[in-house]
Amino acid sequence: DAGVIQSPRHEVTEMGQEVTLRCKPISGHDYLFWYRQTMMRGLELLIYFNNNVPIDDSGMPEDRFSAKMPNASFSTLKIQPSEPRDSAVYFCASSPGPRLGELFFGEGSRLTVL
Amino acid sequence: AQSVTQLDSQVPVFEEAPVELRCNYSSSVSVYLFWYVQYPNQGLQLLLKYLSGSTLVKGINGFEAEFNKSQTSFHLRKPSVHISDTAEYFCALYNFNKFYFGSGTKLNVKP
């Protein structure tokens, strides 16, 4: 299995632009999580899905952020409009079921907003 | 409320020396506990996990951790570290379908 695949790996954009991050989870995993990692705040859970349905989006910082999972093999995290404080590494992780105890992380998308 | 505290942000150690990375947690219910490792420019990988049973848990790369309920701790140990163990280590707690991560400890192994 190729693991969790994220794209793009790096994104540099200007303030106000729309940013779309993409994630392909491991086939057969029913849970998908989006995390944001910064030096100041560490790893923050933004949102997670179970069977393509958003279960908890309480970590989404504000309305500029949105996430979708149109099918079991694809999810997007969108920021519109982007701001410099959104600069971070965004990780997607999938799991066959969190109680089994493992999250499988992608390599992350490093976003820089100028 | 659930939380994970990693007391040391950085731990320098010489190669072949033992190391302990500390983790304390707070939870009002039973928890599952994990250690993940993050190498530069990569995602997190599972090192080991405690779900139930023996309180001493062995993981990959020679790491082990001990669950101590009375002290609410889950410290990570390795008897002899290698240069390749240089990475950031995250302690995590699972409860109610969510993982709560600590702030991370950067292990710097020096030759």
Side-chain angles (χ1 to χ4, degrees):
Chain A
D1 199 315
V4 176
I5 299 173
Q6 292 187 245
S7 64
R9 290 294 313 278
H10 301 275
E11 174 91 2
V12 180
T13 190
E14 292 188 348
M15 183 173 63
Q17 297 298 305
E18 178 179 294
V19 173
T20 300
L21 307 178
R22 298 172 178 81
C23 174
K24 176 178 168 53
I26 293 173
S27 177
H29 284 191
D30 294 332
Y31 289 80
L32 184 140
F33 301 78
W34 282 101
Y35 284 88
R36 177 171 68 175
Q37 185 179 38
T38 61
M39 290 289 290
M40 293 297 294
R41 301 172 71 92
L43 268 168
E44 304 173 274
L45 175 64
L46 301 178
I47 185 172
Y48 81 92
F49 296 82
N50 180 22
N51 291 323
N52 314 335
V53 176
I55 301 300
D56 187 339
D57 64 355
S58 59
M60 296 286 262
E62 47 197 280
D63 292 345
R64 297 184 297 106
F65 286 70
S66 63
K68 294 182 180 180
M69 192 165 186
N71 57 62
S73 60
F74 184 65
S75 177
T76 60
L77 178 68
K78 186 174 292 187
I79 309 171
Q80 166 64 18
S82 59
E83 297 183 2
R85 60 195 169 114
D86 301 332
S87 298
V89 181
Y90 292 82
F91 287 103
C92 175
S94 70
S95 174
R99 292 192 66 184
L100 295 178
E102 185 166 0
L103 288 176
F104 293 80
F105 282 81
E107 293 190 317
S109 294
R110 181 176 295 276
L111 173 64
T112 302
V113 183
L114 303 174
Chain B
Q2 332 294 322
S3 68
V4 177
T5 302
Q6 292 182 244
L7 297 168
D8 307 302
S9 60
Q10 296 194 48
V11 172
V13 63
F14 286 105
E15 193 173 19
E16 298 183 4
V19 71
E20 177 180 84
L21 306 184
R22 296 181 293 170
C23 172
N24 288 89
Y25 69 91
S26 175
S27 175
S28 57
V29 297
S30 297
V31 297
Y32 300 152
L33 293 162
F34 310 85
W35 277 98
Y36 282 81
V37 60
Q38 184 179 30
Y39 299 103
N41 299 315
Q42 295 187 24
L44 281 69
Q45 305 170 33
L46 182 69
L47 263 184
L48 49 79
K49 60 186 176 185
Y50 171 77
L51 303 183
S52 65
S54 173
T55 57
L56 183 63
V57 180
K58 293 188 183 299
I60 61 172
N61 301 338
F63 284 92
E64 64 181 30
E66 185 157 19
F67 171 62
N68 188 319
K69 188 175 181 179
S70 62
Q71 297 186 4
T72 60
S73 68
F74 190 55
H75 300 331
L76 180 70
R77 301 185 183 99
K78 186 170 182 178
S80 176
V81 294
H82 302 288
I83 297 287
S84 59
D85 292 324
T86 294
E88 189 160 17
Y89 293 79
F90 292 88
C91 184
L93 173 160
Y94 168 78
N95 210 339
F96 300 120
N97 280 341
K98 288 186 181 182
F99 283 82
Y100 301 84
F101 285 87
S103 54
T105 298
K106 291 185 178 177
L107 177 64
N108 183 16
V109 182
K110 304 177 181 181

